[in-house]
Amino acid sequence: MTRLSVNINKIATLRNARGGNNPDVVQVALDAERFGAQGITVHPRPDERHIRYSDVLALKEVVTTEFNIEGNPDDRFIELVKRVKPEQVTLVPDAVDAITSNAGWDTVTHREHLTNLVNIFKADGIRVSVFVDADERMVEGAKATGTDRIELYTEPYAIHYAGDREAAIAPFVKAAQKAQELGLGLNAGHDLSLENLQYFAQHIPGLLEVSIGHALIADALYFGLENTIQMYLRQLAS
């Protein structure tokens, strides 16, 4: 069964809107695990507009499922990940002013840079995943870096799902098949939701993990966090 990692960035966004510690990011992570989440994902950005670097340090002390730290690997990020030593680090090529992730790595152009990063993190026993578009060439480029896994950037799938879900998923199936052929582990994330998750999980071979934040937290406003997590888990089990 594909594992569900809950991204709690939006909880931090809500907290930061008023200051203080309500909602409590650490408590929400613990509750998400208690409600069935099989991992916790955070994406600290340089301006700390949602998850703060101090949050990451606090979460490391309490998270008992898989802890996944994703982000643009600048020097501060690298230092944080090496200090925390999560189970997984996901390398994402975010621009400093990006509202959210909007593209995968060009693993051909940035092969040397990514290879160096992969080596840094693997030397500390951290599993590495590289964020890529659903492009077989980018999957092959990721393999050349020595990464353990890739994470497919799924916003294009989500955008086109309602119009033609078969066409929307086709490049992701090809990319997943290429990953399997090359022996790469496969994760996915970005704009996966209760509407499109089941179809994606049913058609993507070798899907190990999905990381879901925005849609899941938005759904929790209506359904409650515990019920929402269970709903997402049922989509993955169907």
Side-chain angles (χ1 to χ4, degrees):
M1 178 178 169
T2 305
R3 297 168 64 89
L4 172 65
S5 186
V6 175
N7 185 318
I8 58 172
N9 276 26
K10 286 299 185 290
I11 299 299
T13 301
L14 182 59
R15 175 201 61 190
N16 295 352
R18 287 289 295 270
N21 195 39
N22 185 25
D24 185 329
V25 168
V26 171
Q27 187 59 53
V28 170
L30 292 173
D31 289 337
E33 290 183 319
R34 182 163 57 88
F35 298 153
Q38 296 141 325
I40 299 296
T41 291
V42 293
H43 189 144
R45 287 185 164 87
D47 60 7
E48 300 189 79
R49 63 180 180 268
H50 32 63
I51 286 291
R52 299 168 182 155
Y53 277 55
S54 59
D55 292 328
V56 180
L57 297 174
L59 287 163
K60 175 57 180 176
E61 299 302 316
V62 300
V63 170
T64 58
T65 59
E66 179 189 276
F67 194 25
N68 173 44
I69 304 176
E70 61 181 31
N72 191 341
D74 61 15
D75 290 343
R76 189 178 178 210
F77 180 89
I78 293 170
E79 181 181 347
L80 176 71
V81 173
K82 287 174 64 64
R83 179 177 176 183
V84 172
K85 291 183 173 59
E87 285 74 18
Q88 178 172 269
V89 59
T90 301
L91 309 180
V92 183
D94 280 340
V96 173
D97 59 349
I99 295 175
T100 186
S101 306
N102 55 22
W105 285 96
D106 181 335
T107 58
V108 176
T109 300
H110 299 286
R111 174 179 172 179
E112 182 177 354
H113 177 53
L114 287 169
T115 300
N116 290 336
L117 291 166
V118 169
N119 289 338
I120 287 171
F121 294 125
K122 290 179 75 170
D124 275 337
I126 303 166
R127 185 173 75 233
V128 183
S129 179
V130 173
F131 196 63
V132 298
D133 297 322
D135 180 327
E136 293 175 82
R137 185 165 170 260
M138 294 302 108
V139 176
E140 291 171 342
K143 174 64 177 179
T145 70
T147 188
D148 302 292
R149 295 188 184 185
I150 57 169
E151 179 175 327
L152 292 177
Y153 168 52
T154 50
E155 183 180 18
Y157 163 75
I159 289 172
H160 298 291
Y161 174 83
D164 186 341
R165 62 184 186 178
E166 291 184 4
I169 205 167
F172 292 87
V173 173
K174 290 181 179 178
Q177 290 171 339
K178 178 59 67 173
Q180 282 197 313
E181 174 188 320
L182 296 173
L184 285 171
L186 183 66
N187 300 337
H190 204 93
D191 284 355
L192 294 174
S193 67
L194 288 174
E195 177 186 8
N196 60 44
L197 178 60
Q198 182 183 69
Y199 186 80
F200 188 84
Q202 288 176 338
H203 289 81
I204 298 300
L207 183 62
L208 298 174
E209 174 184 305
V210 292
S211 173
I212 304 178
H214 182 84
L216 189 151
I217 300 304
D219 288 333
L221 295 175
Y222 292 92
F223 305 128
L225 184 61
E226 180 174 12
N227 189 34
T228 298
I229 288 174
Q230 290 297 311
M231 292 168 74
Y232 275 84
L233 288 170
R234 286 195 291 272
Q235 294 295 306
L236 291 171
S238 299

